[in-house]
Amino acid sequence: MAKIAILGFGTVGSGVLEVCRRNAASIARRAGEPVEVKYILDIRDFSASPDAALFVKDLDVILADPEIRVVVETIGGTRFAYPYVRRCLESGRSVCTSNKEMVATYGAELLALARAHGAAFLFEASVGGGTPIITPMHQCLAANHISRIEGIVNGTTNFMLTKMKRENMEFPEALRIAQQLGYAETKDPGDDVDGRDACRKIAILGSLACGHALYPDNIPTRGIRRITVADIRAAEGLECVVKLIAWYRELPEGGVAAGVEPMLVPDTNQLAGVDDVFNAVLMRGDMLGDVIFYGKGAGKLPTASAVVADVIDALKDGARIHDSLFWQPADKPEGLLQDPDRHTWYLRAAGISAAVLTGLAGDSRLVLDGEQGPACLVRGATTAEMQALCEKIRLLGGEPALVLKRLAD
Amino acid sequence: MAKIAILGFGTVGSGVLEVCRRNAASIARRAGEPVEVKYILDIRDFSASPDAALFVKDLDVILADPEIRVVVETIGGTRFAYPYVRRCLESGRSVCTSNKEMVATYGAELLALARAHGAAFLFEASVGGGTPIITPMHQCLAANHISRIEGIVNGTTNFMLTKMKRENMEFPEALRIAQQLGYAETKDPGDDVDGRDACRKIAILGSLACGHALYPDNIPTRGIRRITVADIRAAEGLECVVKLIAWYRELPEGGVAAGVEPMLVPDTNQLAGVDDVFNAVLMRGDMLGDVIFYGKGAGKLPTASAVVADVIDALKDGARIHDSLFWQPADKPEGLLQDPDRHTWYLRAAGISAAVLTGLAGDSRLVLDGEQGPACLVRGATTAEMQALCEKIRLLGGEPALVLKRLAD
C-alpha cells in the first residue's frame, strides 16, 4: 500500500482524490500496489466532509510520517506552494504538481533539488491539463532534437475566440460567457486573456526543449483583448483563423526565441481546426518531423488524472527514470527574447485612412476598411520593422490597434 | 558506455544506427551514458560497408557478449524475428522492436517472457511509426480506463485516399503512385490496402487497453480496394470524407469489439483532416475525455527515433518501470469480434435500380446514382441487418459493391 498526501483541496486536488478512488483497481495494477490518500493539507475547514479525518493544517504532520512517499501539490501560485514543495523534496519525497506558475518560475531549482535528494519532481499536468505532452516530449522524443514548438495551450481564450468566430460575438461578451462558465476568473481574467498562463506553459516546454531555463518574464506576451469580430472576418478572407499561439523556436544562428501572441493561422495548418476549450501542441523533432498532441486542456478530472499518472510514475522509482526531464538554471537575459525572423503581418490602425496606411506599409494590401479602421497585410517584415511602422502611424495621428503575425505553414 | 545490437539492417535498422550516431550527445545525456551499436546481425553481405566490422551472421555471438544489454529487432515478420527475440529475452536482454506483426501475434507471450527474465520488451515504434502513442497510452493515461480507440494508422492507404480525393484518381492509379514512391509493396500491396497492417496495430492498442490479447485473426478487416472516386464525391455531399479507420470499443454489456474498415468520417471529426501519410489515433479515457496523437506514421528516421527512445528507456532499468505495458494471454475466440451497434451506412450496389435499392433498404435515402450503381444512406442498422440487406440485393440479381459505416461524431 502506497500512501500519498495532497497539498491544497481545490478543483484539481479534490479531483486527485476522486480519480484515486474511482479507478483504484487499475491504478493499483499499474503502480504495483494500491494507492491511498492519507493526508490532505488545506487551511480551510473541512470538518463536515466525509473525509474530515484526512485533513491536516500543518505540513510537518505529513513530513513526519515515513509512510508518505509522494506528495501532490495542487495549491497553485508560488507563495505557499514553492516553500512547501522545497521542504517535501528536501525530505526525499517525490512531488507531482499541476502548478505551471511554480514550474515555470522555479523549475530548474526544484528539478535540481529533487535530483540531489533522490526524489522525482513531475509536472505533466502543468501543460495541456490531462493531455499527455511533457512525458511524450522528454521520453518518446528522447532521440530527437526539438527545434520548434507551436501550441494552443490556453483553453479559455481558445473557447472565447471560437465563440467570437462562430457567433459574431465581440470580446467583452465572449469574456462574460467564459466567466459565467467558470473558464475565466471573474475578478481578474488577465492570466488567461492577457496570455500569462500560456506564457508559463511555453516557458516550461521551451526549457525542456533547450535544456536551460527560459523565464516567463523574458517571453514577449500579448493576449486577445484587441481582437474584434471584424478582424476574425478579415482573417477568414485570408483563409486564416485567429488563434492565441504560444511558440518556441531555435534560431539558426544560436539561441532561442519564444512568444505568446494572437496569430493568423492558415486554414491548412493542423492547429486551425482546434476549437473550443481544446489544446494542441505541435513539436518538430529533427528525426521525427512534426507531431501533435491534442486534447482538453483543463478540467478537474482530466488534469487530476494526469497528476495521478505522475504519482504512479513517481512510486515506481521515479527519481531514476527521469534524468531526461531536466533543465539547467540560466541567467535571466536582460529584456525580451525577440523574434528576429521576417513574417507576413496583419496590421489594423485607427484614425488614418486606408490609402495612408497602405502607403506607409510598403509591400502590403488592404484587407479590411471598416468602422474599426483599415487593416492591411504586410509582407516580409521583422518585428523591429513593424514597430517602426507603428511609430510612423502614431506620428501621423493614427493608432496601431492590432498587429498579428501569420504563422508559417 | 552502453552497448547494443541491431537485428536486421533494413530501413528501420539502418535508421537506428544513423539516429544513434547523429544525436549521440543528446542520447548520451538522456540515457545517462553514451550508447554504441556493437553488433549488427544480417544474413546479407555488408563487407563493403564502412561498418563492415559490426556485422555478424550468428545470434550466438551477440548472446555470448555480456556487454550487450539491449537488442533492437528490426527484421520484420515472425519467422526469424520471433525465435530470435525469444532467445534474447530468455538471456535477460531487453528487446526494442518496430515489428507490429510479431507484437500483435506473440505480444502476450513475449511480455510475460520479458517479465520472467527481468528484461523489458518495448515496441513504441510498432504503432504510428515515430509518433508517440503506446507510451503516452500506458503511462500518461495510467489513471484512466480507455473505452474507445479510433485511428488512421496506415499511412499508405491514407496517402492513396487523399490522392483519390484531391486529384480524382481511381484506386489502381493511386496504388501505382504509392508503389512508385515506395509506400506500398510492389509485389503484394495487400498488407496495406487490404487492412492487415492496420489490423495488427489495432490488435496491439486494443490488447493494451483491455489487458488481454486481441488476435488479428479475430478482428473483422476490410481494405480500400472497392472505394471509387464516385463514392468519395458522394461522401463529400454528406459532409464526410472516406478514411480507413481501425477501431476498438468496450461494449456496455461486457467484452470488446474491434475492426478495420473504410468509413464515412464527418468533416467535423478531428480525424477528417488527417491527410497524406499522416497517422492520428484518438483515445477516450474515462477521466480525461478524448485525446489525439498525430504525426507521420512511418519513415526511416521517425520510426528509428522511436526505437532509440525505447532503447534509452530500456537502458534505464526498463524492466521495473513498465509493469503497465502488459497484457495477458487469452484464448482465441471462435470467429470474429463483431460490432453489435446500430450505425448509419453508405451502401452502393451494382446491377439494380435506384428505386429497387431504396425500396429494399427501408429507412434510407439515395445519395448517388451513377455508372457504378446507385448508393443510398441507410439509418439505424446493425452489421447483421446490413448483411441481410446485401443478401436480398444478391437474390434480386444485384451485387453489393461497397458498404461503409459512418463514424459517430
Side-chain angles (χ1 to χ4, degrees), chain A residues 187-213:
Chain A
K187 268 193 194 161
D188 176 13
D191 265 13
D192 292 314
V193 301
D194 294 324
R196 291 195 292 273
D197 173 79
C199 176
R200 291 169 192 143
K201 290 167 177 167
I202 197 69
I204 295 170
L205 297 179
S207 299
L208 202 46
C210 71
H212 65 79

PDB file of all heavy atoms in Angstrom, chain A residues 187-213:
ATOM      1  N   LYS A 187     -12.792  38.049 -11.139  1.00  0.00           N
ATOM      2  CA  LYS A 187     -12.128  39.269 -10.689  1.00  0.00           C
ATOM      3  C   LYS A 187     -11.116  39.759 -11.699  1.00  0.00           C
ATOM      4  O   LYS A 187     -11.171  40.880 -12.175  1.00  0.00           O
ATOM      5  CB  LYS A 187     -11.398  38.998  -9.359  1.00  0.00           C
ATOM      6  CG  LYS A 187     -12.241  39.302  -8.136  1.00  0.00           C
ATOM      7  CD  LYS A 187     -11.337  39.316  -6.918  1.00  0.00           C
ATOM      8  CE  LYS A 187     -12.157  39.270  -5.634  1.00  0.00           C
ATOM      9  NZ  LYS A 187     -11.335  38.831  -4.510  1.00  0.00           N
ATOM     10  N   ASP A 188     -10.151  38.915 -12.007  1.00  0.00           N
ATOM     11  CA  ASP A 188      -9.088  39.330 -12.930  1.00  0.00           C
ATOM     12  C   ASP A 188      -8.823  38.216 -13.938  1.00  0.00           C
ATOM     13  O   ASP A 188      -8.081  37.276 -13.659  1.00  0.00           O
ATOM     14  CB  ASP A 188      -7.801  39.637 -12.159  1.00  0.00           C
ATOM     15  CG  ASP A 188      -6.668  39.966 -13.120  1.00  0.00           C
ATOM     16  OD1 ASP A 188      -6.946  40.184 -14.320  1.00  0.00           O
ATOM     17  OD2 ASP A 188      -5.514  39.991 -12.674  1.00  0.00           O
ATOM     18  N   PRO A 189      -9.432  38.335 -15.122  1.00  0.00           N
ATOM     19  CA  PRO A 189      -9.259  37.268 -16.122  1.00  0.00           C
ATOM     20  C   PRO A 189      -7.930  37.376 -16.871  1.00  0.00           C
ATOM     21  O   PRO A 189      -7.706  36.678 -17.852  1.00  0.00           O
ATOM     22  CB  PRO A 189     -10.435  37.511 -17.071  1.00  0.00           C
ATOM     23  CG  PRO A 189     -10.673  38.984 -17.002  1.00  0.00           C
ATOM     24  CD  PRO A 189     -10.305  39.420 -15.610  1.00  0.00           C
ATOM     25  N   GLY A 190      -7.037  38.259 -16.399  1.00  0.00           N
ATOM     26  CA  GLY A 190      -5.810  38.563 -17.135  1.00  0.00           C
ATOM     27  C   GLY A 190      -4.882  37.375 -17.350  1.00  0.00           C
ATOM     28  O   GLY A 190      -4.212  37.285 -18.380  1.00  0.00           O
ATOM     29  N   ASP A 191      -4.817  36.448 -16.392  1.00  0.00           N
ATOM     30  CA  ASP A 191      -3.945  35.289 -16.586  1.00  0.00           C
ATOM     31  C   ASP A 191      -4.256  34.604 -17.910  1.00  0.00           C
ATOM     32  O   ASP A 191      -3.353  34.199 -18.640  1.00  0.00           O
ATOM     33  CB  ASP A 191      -4.130  34.280 -15.442  1.00  0.00           C
ATOM     34  CG  ASP A 191      -3.092  34.487 -14.350  1.00  0.00           C
ATOM     35  OD1 ASP A 191      -2.413  35.538 -14.362  1.00  0.00           O
ATOM     36  OD2 ASP A 191      -2.961  33.600 -13.495  1.00  0.00           O
ATOM     37  N   ASP A 192      -5.548  34.471 -18.206  1.00  0.00           N
ATOM     38  CA  ASP A 192      -5.937  33.860 -19.474  1.00  0.00           C
ATOM     39  C   ASP A 192      -5.874  34.866 -20.621  1.00  0.00           C
ATOM     40  O   ASP A 192      -5.116  34.666 -21.576  1.00  0.00           O
ATOM     41  CB  ASP A 192      -7.356  33.285 -19.379  1.00  0.00           C
ATOM     42  CG  ASP A 192      -7.428  32.088 -18.445  1.00  0.00           C
ATOM     43  OD1 ASP A 192      -6.557  31.213 -18.555  1.00  0.00           O
ATOM     44  OD2 ASP A 192      -8.343  32.033 -17.612  1.00  0.00           O
ATOM     45  N   VAL A 193      -6.655  35.942 -20.541  1.00  0.00           N
ATOM     46  CA  VAL A 193      -6.845  36.771 -21.743  1.00  0.00           C
ATOM     47  C   VAL A 193      -5.616  37.611 -22.091  1.00  0.00           C
ATOM     48  O   VAL A 193      -5.463  38.035 -23.237  1.00  0.00           O
ATOM     49  CB  VAL A 193      -8.116  37.666 -21.666  1.00  0.00           C
ATOM     50  CG1 VAL A 193      -9.354  36.807 -21.481  1.00  0.00           C
ATOM     51  CG2 VAL A 193      -8.000  38.725 -20.603  1.00  0.00           C
ATOM     52  N   ASP A 194      -4.737  37.858 -21.120  1.00  0.00           N
ATOM     53  CA  ASP A 194      -3.507  38.584 -21.442  1.00  0.00           C
ATOM     54  C   ASP A 194      -2.329  37.649 -21.737  1.00  0.00           C
ATOM     55  O   ASP A 194      -1.202  38.108 -21.919  1.00  0.00           O
ATOM     56  CB  ASP A 194      -3.152  39.539 -20.306  1.00  0.00           C
ATOM     57  CG  ASP A 194      -4.200  40.643 -20.168  1.00  0.00           C
ATOM     58  OD1 ASP A 194      -4.723  41.089 -21.213  1.00  0.00           O
ATOM     59  OD2 ASP A 194      -4.512  41.037 -19.032  1.00  0.00           O
ATOM     60  N   GLY A 195      -2.579  36.346 -21.736  1.00  0.00           N
ATOM     61  CA  GLY A 195      -1.565  35.398 -22.196  1.00  0.00           C
ATOM     62  C   GLY A 195      -0.581  34.915 -21.144  1.00  0.00           C
ATOM     63  O   GLY A 195       0.326  34.146 -21.460  1.00  0.00           O
ATOM     64  N   ARG A 196      -0.742  35.320 -19.873  1.00  0.00           N
ATOM     65  CA  ARG A 196       0.259  34.919 -18.873  1.00  0.00           C
ATOM     66  C   ARG A 196       0.271  33.412 -18.633  1.00  0.00           C
ATOM     67  O   ARG A 196       1.334  32.801 -18.454  1.00  0.00           O
ATOM     68  CB  ARG A 196       0.000  35.647 -17.553  1.00  0.00           C
ATOM     69  CG  ARG A 196       0.280  37.134 -17.622  1.00  0.00           C
ATOM     70  CD  ARG A 196       0.366  37.762 -16.235  1.00  0.00           C
ATOM     71  NE  ARG A 196      -0.901  37.785 -15.530  1.00  0.00           N
ATOM     72  CZ  ARG A 196      -1.816  38.762 -15.637  1.00  0.00           C
ATOM     73  NH1 ARG A 196      -1.588  39.786 -16.440  1.00  0.00           N
ATOM     74  NH2 ARG A 196      -2.933  38.718 -14.951  1.00  0.00           N
ATOM     75  N   ASP A 197      -0.916  32.795 -18.642  1.00  0.00           N
ATOM     76  CA  ASP A 197      -0.995  31.340 -18.463  1.00  0.00           C
ATOM     77  C   ASP A 197      -0.276  30.621 -19.611  1.00  0.00           C
ATOM     78  O   ASP A 197       0.526  29.705 -19.392  1.00  0.00           O
ATOM     79  CB  ASP A 197      -2.473  30.920 -18.409  1.00  0.00           C
ATOM     80  CG  ASP A 197      -2.665  29.424 -18.402  1.00  0.00           C
ATOM     81  OD1 ASP A 197      -2.493  28.812 -17.335  1.00  0.00           O
ATOM     82  OD2 ASP A 197      -2.986  28.858 -19.465  1.00  0.00           O
ATOM     83  N   ALA A 198      -0.538  31.064 -20.828  1.00  0.00           N
ATOM     84  CA  ALA A 198       0.124  30.450 -21.998  1.00  0.00           C
ATOM     85  C   ALA A 198       1.628  30.685 -21.930  1.00  0.00           C
ATOM     86  O   ALA A 198       2.425  29.813 -22.316  1.00  0.00           O
ATOM     87  CB  ALA A 198      -0.455  31.032 -23.289  1.00  0.00           C
ATOM     88  N   CYS A 199       2.029  31.843 -21.438  1.00  0.00           N
ATOM     89  CA  CYS A 199       3.453  32.170 -21.332  1.00  0.00           C
ATOM     90  C   CYS A 199       4.172  31.200 -20.392  1.00  0.00           C
ATOM     91  O   CYS A 199       5.267  30.721 -20.692  1.00  0.00           O
ATOM     92  CB  CYS A 199       3.583  33.613 -20.844  1.00  0.00           C
ATOM     93  SG  CYS A 199       5.278  34.108 -20.552  1.00  0.00           S
ATOM     94  N   ARG A 200       3.545  30.899 -19.245  1.00  0.00           N
ATOM     95  CA  ARG A 200       4.170  29.943 -18.317  1.00  0.00           C
ATOM     96  C   ARG A 200       4.330  28.577 -18.979  1.00  0.00           C
ATOM     97  O   ARG A 200       5.337  27.888 -18.807  1.00  0.00           O
ATOM     98  CB  ARG A 200       3.294  29.801 -17.067  1.00  0.00           C
ATOM     99  CG  ARG A 200       3.295  31.046 -16.220  1.00  0.00           C
ATOM    100  CD  ARG A 200       2.227  31.010 -15.128  1.00  0.00           C
ATOM    101  NE  ARG A 200       2.104  32.335 -14.549  1.00  0.00           N
ATOM    102  CZ  ARG A 200       0.964  32.897 -14.146  1.00  0.00           C
ATOM    103  NH1 ARG A 200      -0.189  32.235 -14.250  1.00  0.00           N
ATOM    104  NH2 ARG A 200       0.953  34.099 -13.631  1.00  0.00           N
ATOM    105  N   LYS A 201       3.319  28.187 -19.759  1.00  0.00           N
ATOM    106  CA  LYS A 201       3.373  26.857 -20.367  1.00  0.00           C
ATOM    107  C   LYS A 201       4.465  26.773 -21.433  1.00  0.00           C
ATOM    108  O   LYS A 201       5.195  25.777 -21.506  1.00  0.00           O
ATOM    109  CB  LYS A 201       2.006  26.499 -20.947  1.00  0.00           C
ATOM    110  CG  LYS A 201       0.976  26.251 -19.841  1.00  0.00           C
ATOM    111  CD  LYS A 201      -0.446  26.201 -20.381  1.00  0.00           C
ATOM    112  CE  LYS A 201      -1.440  25.871 -19.267  1.00  0.00           C
ATOM    113  NZ  LYS A 201      -2.836  26.112 -19.698  1.00  0.00           N
ATOM    114  N   ILE A 202       4.607  27.803 -22.250  1.00  0.00           N
ATOM    115  CA  ILE A 202       5.664  27.736 -23.269  1.00  0.00           C
ATOM    116  C   ILE A 202       7.037  27.878 -22.615  1.00  0.00           C
ATOM    117  O   ILE A 202       8.027  27.321 -23.119  1.00  0.00           O
ATOM    118  CB  ILE A 202       5.432  28.764 -24.418  1.00  0.00           C
ATOM    119  CG1 ILE A 202       6.275  28.399 -25.648  1.00  0.00           C
ATOM    120  CG2 ILE A 202       5.737  30.189 -23.986  1.00  0.00           C
ATOM    121  CD1 ILE A 202       5.841  27.139 -26.358  1.00  0.00           C
ATOM    122  N   ALA A 203       7.101  28.577 -21.471  1.00  0.00           N
ATOM    123  CA  ALA A 203       8.378  28.641 -20.737  1.00  0.00           C
ATOM    124  C   ALA A 203       8.794  27.237 -20.300  1.00  0.00           C
ATOM    125  O   ALA A 203       9.964  26.857 -20.404  1.00  0.00           O
ATOM    126  CB  ALA A 203       8.246  29.563 -19.526  1.00  0.00           C
ATOM    127  N   ILE A 204       7.827  26.444 -19.843  1.00  0.00           N
ATOM    128  CA  ILE A 204       8.122  25.075 -19.404  1.00  0.00           C
ATOM    129  C   ILE A 204       8.561  24.215 -20.593  1.00  0.00           C
ATOM    130  O   ILE A 204       9.602  23.545 -20.560  1.00  0.00           O
ATOM    131  CB  ILE A 204       6.892  24.444 -18.708  1.00  0.00           C
ATOM    132  CG1 ILE A 204       6.581  25.201 -17.407  1.00  0.00           C
ATOM    133  CG2 ILE A 204       7.113  22.963 -18.447  1.00  0.00           C
ATOM    134  CD1 ILE A 204       5.248  24.812 -16.759  1.00  0.00           C
ATOM    135  N   LEU A 205       7.777  24.243 -21.672  1.00  0.00           N
ATOM    136  CA  LEU A 205       8.109  23.397 -22.833  1.00  0.00           C
ATOM    137  C   LEU A 205       9.427  23.838 -23.467  1.00  0.00           C
ATOM    138  O   LEU A 205      10.246  23.000 -23.872  1.00  0.00           O
ATOM    139  CB  LEU A 205       6.977  23.448 -23.873  1.00  0.00           C
ATOM    140  CG  LEU A 205       5.623  22.895 -23.423  1.00  0.00           C
ATOM    141  CD1 LEU A 205       4.603  23.029 -24.553  1.00  0.00           C
ATOM    142  CD2 LEU A 205       5.736  21.439 -22.973  1.00  0.00           C
ATOM    143  N   GLY A 206       9.646  25.142 -23.564  1.00  0.00           N
ATOM    144  CA  GLY A 206      10.884  25.649 -24.148  1.00  0.00           C
ATOM    145  C   GLY A 206      12.103  25.278 -23.302  1.00  0.00           C
ATOM    146  O   GLY A 206      13.143  24.894 -23.831  1.00  0.00           O
ATOM    147  N   SER A 207      11.953  25.368 -21.985  1.00  0.00           N
ATOM    148  CA  SER A 207      13.064  24.999 -21.090  1.00  0.00           C
ATOM    149  C   SER A 207      13.438  23.538 -21.290  1.00  0.00           C
ATOM    150  O   SER A 207      14.611  23.175 -21.336  1.00  0.00           O
ATOM    151  CB  SER A 207      12.664  25.231 -19.627  1.00  0.00           C
ATOM    152  OG  SER A 207      12.370  26.587 -19.388  1.00  0.00           O
ATOM    153  N   LEU A 208      12.401  22.705 -21.411  1.00  0.00           N
ATOM    154  CA  LEU A 208      12.629  21.273 -21.593  1.00  0.00           C
ATOM    155  C   LEU A 208      13.292  21.014 -22.954  1.00  0.00           C
ATOM    156  O   LEU A 208      14.165  20.149 -23.074  1.00  0.00           O
ATOM    157  CB  LEU A 208      11.265  20.574 -21.505  1.00  0.00           C
ATOM    158  CG  LEU A 208      11.182  19.114 -21.161  1.00  0.00           C
ATOM    159  CD1 LEU A 208      12.046  18.733 -19.989  1.00  0.00           C
ATOM    160  CD2 LEU A 208       9.714  18.765 -20.862  1.00  0.00           C
ATOM    161  N   ALA A 209      12.907  21.779 -23.973  1.00  0.00           N
ATOM    162  CA  ALA A 209      13.466  21.563 -25.314  1.00  0.00           C
ATOM    163  C   ALA A 209      14.923  21.985 -25.392  1.00  0.00           C
ATOM    164  O   ALA A 209      15.744  21.287 -25.984  1.00  0.00           O
ATOM    165  CB  ALA A 209      12.642  22.333 -26.356  1.00  0.00           C
ATOM    166  N   CYS A 210      15.271  23.140 -24.793  1.00  0.00           N
ATOM    167  CA  CYS A 210      16.644  23.634 -24.974  1.00  0.00           C
ATOM    168  C   CYS A 210      17.555  23.240 -23.824  1.00  0.00           C
ATOM    169  O   CYS A 210      18.775  23.389 -23.928  1.00  0.00           O
ATOM    170  CB  CYS A 210      16.664  25.141 -25.211  1.00  0.00           C
ATOM    171  SG  CYS A 210      16.261  26.128 -23.773  1.00  0.00           S
ATOM    172  N   GLY A 211      16.989  22.754 -22.708  1.00  0.00           N
ATOM    173  CA  GLY A 211      17.826  22.256 -21.622  1.00  0.00           C
ATOM    174  C   GLY A 211      18.273  23.300 -20.627  1.00  0.00           C
ATOM    175  O   GLY A 211      18.968  22.976 -19.669  1.00  0.00           O
ATOM    176  N   HIS A 212      17.889  24.552 -20.839  1.00  0.00           N
ATOM    177  CA  HIS A 212      18.145  25.542 -19.787  1.00  0.00           C
ATOM    178  C   HIS A 212      16.906  26.403 -19.585  1.00  0.00           C
ATOM    179  O   HIS A 212      16.040  26.494 -20.459  1.00  0.00           O
ATOM    180  CB  HIS A 212      19.376  26.400 -20.106  1.00  0.00           C
ATOM    181  CG  HIS A 212      19.217  27.256 -21.323  1.00  0.00           C
ATOM    182  ND1 HIS A 212      18.527  28.438 -21.323  1.00  0.00           N
ATOM    183  CD2 HIS A 212      19.638  27.074 -22.594  1.00  0.00           C
ATOM    184  CE1 HIS A 212      18.539  28.955 -22.536  1.00  0.00           C
ATOM    185  NE2 HIS A 212      19.193  28.149 -23.331  1.00  0.00           N
ATOM    186  N   ALA A 213      16.834  27.062 -18.435  1.00  0.00           N
ATOM    187  CA  ALA A 213      15.606  27.768 -18.062  1.00  0.00           C
ATOM    188  C   ALA A 213      15.311  28.948 -18.974  1.00  0.00           C
ATOM    189  O   ALA A 213      16.176  29.772 -19.262  1.00  0.00           O
ATOM    190  CB  ALA A 213      15.725  28.243 -16.616  1.00  0.00           C
TER     191      ALA A 213
END
